[in-house]
Amino acid sequence: MAQRAQPELPPPPRERPWLLPYNRKLRHLQGITIRNLTLTPAPPRCRGKTIDDEALPSTLKSPTKTLALRGSRSLTHSRSSTDLNSFEDEDRFDDGSLRKPTTPTRPVRPTKGMRRRSTLEWANASPLARQKRLEDITAGRMADTFFTLHVEGQDDPVYISEVAEKAMNPNFKFFDLAPCGPRVTRLDKLTVKVWAKSEIMRAWQFLIDYTVSLGSLQFIGKTLGSCRHPLPQNCVLLHMTDGIYTSFTDLPVQARAGQDLLAPPKENPDGRVYTSSSYDALMRLSTLDDCIQDALVTRDRIADEIESILETNREAISTVEQVPEAEGNLRTVQVAVTAEQRRVLAMRRRRDELKASIQSRREKMQTGRERGSLIASELPTRRELCKETEEAIETTEEAIAGQRRRICEDLLKIYPIDPLPGKSLAFTIRGLLLPNSHFDDANQDVTSAALGHAAQAVALLSPYFSVILPYPISPHGSTSTIEDPLAMGHNNANNPRTYPLYMKGVVRYRFEYGVFLLNKNIEILSNALGIRPLDIRQTLPNLKYLLYVVTAGKGELPARKAGGIKGLLRQDGFSSRKGSFDSTATASSFGAESKSSTRDAGLLKVDHSSANGASVGGTLKQKTNILPGSRLRPIE
């Protein structure tokens, strides 16, 4: 059963503009936009049908054409699902009824001779050709545009827009014509002129000359989305304060009549009807407007008079205006002159200083030349003196080395260090065994005596090597001690920085630390001679090696120089001392030794350690053969 046709509903009323046609003025115009920009003119008449064979009735649904179209299909743009043709649509007639079963549902493939060439332009085109064609069309349609607004009575435009680059629907910035004055803002007619320039054009082309009366425009709506009618080519849209207006010249009569069907004005929610302005209020507004216009005319007249007065007295005014400028230039010149004078004074002062400096340098250079000539004259003599001094230094160094060798030989004879048979790196000093930092099974008395001899030998070597021991030694036989100036211990109340070199009655770690300090002194003496011990824990091996290196040399040992103490002289190259029975054990007998040869200072020994433990210089006096600061005391 066929459905009944529903009656067509009337279209809803459109938005109602705020401005009435006779109230539209240029002061309400805010902006202009252009849609469907076309640079080529439209054809003079509309073609009713296509000019190809699509219009022929016999070619609408022919098997040959269908097969040709299917064979020439290529890459196309996606379309809506409602626009796709299916085989079911092909099986229907134009009126919508199905074909008879006897009618073939698919076209029969014709023979090779029946197939015809496709006449579609885009059927076999490549994507590159399609892209090139699209770019050409775009280049012909997109252009740079700008517009100008003109009014009657003025040759120059009242407004010139910015350039909208490469657009088919150019949008321009909104504007305000209020600064143009009431002569322009009260008009209801204007002319819009549009210029365009595409990529293929060399100069700007005058495209549109559009003269319009604002009262005859059609209201589109607040936005373009509410417009149902297609916009024509080069359509100029005027943006007023209440919406968008344009002029449709291609609307039919019925459509133009429908333009009047606007929405009725909104009623007051309270249902009351308010009266409009009274006649007196309108007259007052008219009088106020006349007063405002009169004030504007008066302002313009006064401005013209002021301009004429200024033009008449322009020369005098320019002279008066030049006075402050001349004064400013004068002040600038005076400041520049003052600055230049200061610079001149500074340069003169600098010049005098440079002259004085140059003169002083010349005098010093002259003095230097005189001294140089004097030194050059004395240079040969000084060279001979330098050579003699170098020879004396070498001789003195050889003598010092020989004396050190002789002293170390004496120390080796006084404190002989011999290896212990059958044991590796085990040595004795004066027949007393001294272990190498391992004192668990050692005899305390023997170890303390051996350490006392070793400490005495190290203390005697220090002044002859001109090396200050960092850890001073106090040799007292088997009760010798050693000091560490940087120690911070508090175990010993008397002197926390003194460590014993004996084992009996002391804390074990303090004794071992004292042995470590003694070994460090031996290492420092070895480093002074360029020797590097392999293991500082080996006390006697390192000391033996040190004395062995120092006593090594060529030739015989040098003899002791003759001095005031005859008891210390060598005889027959041996180190024995001949004592005198008339000598005494006091130090006062040494002063009378030069007067009486029978009173010798025999059996004496030299104490080379000072009170503070510092070493003394290793040079010997020529007369006494005793080190400075040493003390003589009898051997116990």
Side-chain angles (χ1 to χ4, degrees):
M1 184 175 182
Q3 297 181 356
R4 296 181 181 180
Q6 296 181 358
E8 295 184 359
L9 299 176
R14 297 185 299 106
E15 295 179 291
R16 185 182 186 88
W18 294 347
L19 299 175
L20 296 177
Y22 54 85
N23 286 336
R24 299 171 190 164
K25 306 296 180 182
L26 289 183
R27 61 175 176 269
H28 302 134
L29 183 62
Q30 294 180 344
I32 290 177
T33 57
I34 301 175
R35 291 294 179 266
N36 299 334
L37 181 67
T38 304
L39 302 181
T40 57
R45 63 182 180 85
C46 295
R47 186 178 290 112
K49 296 182 180 180
T50 57
I51 60 176
D52 57 359
D53 56 353
E54 291 287 344
L56 299 178
S58 61
T59 60
L60 293 179
K61 296 294 180 180
S62 64
T64 305
K65 181 179 179 182
T66 304
L67 184 61
L69 291 177
R70 289 183 179 180
S72 61
R73 286 180 181 177
S74 59
L75 181 65
T76 58
H77 292 282
S78 176
R79 296 180 296 175
S80 174
S81 59
T82 58
D83 194 23
L84 297 177
N85 294 327
S86 62
F87 293 109
E88 296 180 357
D89 296 338
E90 296 178 358
D91 295 340
R92 295 178 180 271
F93 290 102
D94 295 339
D95 56 356
S97 60
L98 293 174
R99 296 182 179 181
K100 295 181 179 181
T102 55
T103 306
T105 57
R106 296 183 182 272
V108 180
R109 183 178 181 85
T111 60
K112 187 174 181 180
M114 295 178 60
R115 184 176 179 84
R116 65 174 184 175
R117 182 179 59 85
S118 176
T119 57
L120 295 180
E121 181 180 1
W122 296 94
N124 299 322
S126 62
L128 182 61
R130 292 168 180 259
Q131 180 68 21
K132 185 67 174 68
R133 179 61 177 171
L134 180 61
E135 292 179 356
D136 295 341
I137 294 174
T138 304
R141 294 291 301 273
M142 299 180 68
D144 301 340
T145 55
F146 74 95
F147 69 89
T148 58
L149 300 181
H150 302 264
V151 296
E152 294 181 355
Q154 293 188 14
D155 298 335
D156 297 332
V158 296
Y159 178 75
I160 301 176
S161 70
E162 73 282 0
V163 178
E165 298 179 353
K166 295 182 180 180
M168 297 178 60
N169 298 315
N171 296 322
F172 301 94
K173 295 180 180 179
F174 282 16
F175 50 84
D176 185 13
L177 299 178
C180 298
R183 296 181 180 179
V184 175
T185 57
R186 291 188 175 186
L187 297 178
D188 60 350
K189 188 177 182 180
L190 81 159
T191 301
V192 180
K193 295 183 179 180
V194 181
W195 278 263
K197 178 183 178 183
S198 63
E199 295 181 356
I200 60 178
M201 298 180 181
R202 296 183 179 180
W204 290 94
Q205 176 184 355
F206 180 66
L207 184 63
I208 302 173
D209 188 355
Y210 180 61
T211 301
V212 61
S213 176
L214 301 181
S216 61
L217 295 176
Q218 286 85 23
F219 178 73
I220 295 177
K222 301 294 182 180
T223 59
L224 288 177
S226 60
C227 181
R228 302 182 182 87
H229 185 75
L231 300 177
Q233 294 182 355
N234 297 332
C235 179
V236 180
L237 302 178
L238 284 79
H239 295 263
M240 308 289 282
T241 56
D242 59 341
I244 303 175
Y245 292 83
T246 187
S247 177
F248 292 111
T249 58
D250 57 344
L251 285 178
V253 179
Q254 295 82 1
R256 293 183 182 180
Q259 294 290 330
D260 298 333
L261 300 176
L262 300 177
K266 296 182 180 180
E267 298 180 357
N268 192 12
D270 300 338
R272 294 180 296 176
V273 178
Y274 294 95
T275 58
S276 61
S277 299
S278 61
Y279 177 78
D280 295 337
L282 293 177
M283 290 302 296
R284 285 196 296 271
L285 289 175
S286 177
T287 306
L288 180 59
D289 183 54
D290 294 340
C291 295
I292 293 174
Q293 296 300 324
D294 188 17
L296 293 176
V297 172
T298 305
R299 183 194 63 182
D300 296 339
R301 180 175 53 79
I302 294 175
D304 295 339
E305 293 177 356
I306 293 174
E307 287 293 335
S308 61
I309 294 172
L310 293 177
E311 186 66 26
T312 304
N313 303 319
R314 184 172 298 277
E315 183 176 0
I317 294 173
S318 62
T319 304
V320 173
E321 291 177 352
Q322 290 176 1
V323 172
E325 183 178 359
E327 292 178 352
N329 294 335
L330 178 61
R331 287 193 296 270
T332 303
V333 172
Q334 290 177 352
V335 171
V337 170
T338 304
E340 290 296 329
Q341 290 177 355
R342 293 177 180 175
R343 290 181 58 187
V344 169
L345 293 176
M347 294 300 293
R348 288 178 179 176
R349 192 181 303 108
R350 179 62 178 168
R351 181 197 61 187
D352 297 340
E353 292 177 357
L354 292 177
K355 285 184 178 180
S357 177
I358 292 172
Q359 185 63 27
S360 176
R361 292 183 179 182
R362 287 177 179 174
E363 294 176 357
K364 292 180 180 180
M365 290 171 64
Q366 185 63 26
T367 305
R369 292 191 188 97
E370 295 176 357
R371 291 182 179 179
S373 60
L374 180 60
I375 293 173
S377 61
E378 296 178 356
L379 187 59
T381 305
R382 293 180 179 271
R383 285 179 178 175
E384 295 178 358
L385 293 176
C386 181
K387 187 175 182 181
E388 294 176 358
T389 304
E390 290 178 356
E391 293 176 355
I393 291 173
E394 292 179 359
T395 305
T396 305
E397 289 179 352
E398 293 177 357
I400 292 173
Q403 293 296 331
R404 286 180 179 176
R405 180 184 173 194
R406 178 186 58 80
I407 292 169
C408 291
E409 286 285 352
D410 293 342
L411 286 176
L412 276 177
K413 291 178 180 181
I414 296 171
Y415 301 103
I417 303 173
D418 301 323
L420 192 63
K423 292 185 179 181
S424 177
L425 295 177
F427 289 82
T428 60
I429 181 169
R430 294 184 64 88
L432 302 175
L433 177 62
L434 179 61
N436 294 325
S437 301
H438 296 284
F439 306 100
D440 295 336
D441 300 333
N443 190 348
Q444 297 182 2
D445 296 335
V446 174
T447 302
S448 300
L451 286 174
H453 294 319
Q456 181 71 26
V458 172
L460 292 176
L461 287 175
S462 173
Y464 292 109
F465 288 173
S466 301
V467 176
I468 300 176
L469 296 177
Y471 309 107
I473 301 173
S474 299
H476 299 294
S478 61
T479 59
S480 301
T481 58
I482 190 169
E483 295 182 6
D484 184 6
L486 301 178
M488 300 297 293
H490 299 284
N491 293 333
N492 192 348
N494 297 330
N495 191 355
R497 297 179 180 178
T498 302
Y499 295 88
L501 294 176
Y502 50 91
M503 301 175 61
K504 187 177 293 185
V506 297
V507 183
R508 180 64 177 272
Y509 80 89
R510 291 182 61 81
F511 163 72
E512 292 179 354
Y513 188 68
V515 175
F516 170 74
L517 297 179
L518 178 62
N519 294 335
K520 289 296 292 184
N521 284 339
I522 297 173
E523 182 186 11
I524 291 170
L525 291 175
S526 302
N527 293 336
L529 297 178
I531 304 172
R532 184 178 181 182
L534 297 178
D535 191 354
I536 64 172
R537 297 177 297 178
Q538 301 172 359
T539 306
L540 291 182
N542 292 335
L543 184 58
K544 177 68 176 178
Y545 183 56
L546 173 63
L547 295 175
Y548 178 77
V549 173
V550 176
T551 56
K554 297 180 180 180
E556 297 181 356
L557 293 174
R560 185 185 295 274
K561 293 185 178 181
I565 304 176
K566 296 180 180 181
L568 300 179
L569 295 177
R570 287 176 176 269
Q571 294 182 359
D572 299 332
F574 296 97
S575 61
S576 62
R577 296 183 177 88
K578 183 177 180 180
S580 175
F581 296 99
D582 298 332
S583 63
T584 60
T586 59
S588 60
S589 62
F590 298 113
E593 185 180 4
S594 60
K595 298 180 181 179
S596 177
S597 60
T598 60
R599 303 179 63 185
D600 296 331
L603 301 176
L604 297 176
K605 85 171 179 179
V606 183
D607 185 8
H608 299 283
S609 60
S610 59
N612 55 1
S615 64
V616 189
T619 59
L620 300 176
K621 291 188 177 179
Q622 296 180 359
K623 294 182 179 180
T624 61
N625 290 335
I626 301 175
L627 296 176
S630 62
R631 302 190 304 274
L632 293 176
R633 56 186 177 87
I635 300 176
E636 297 179 355

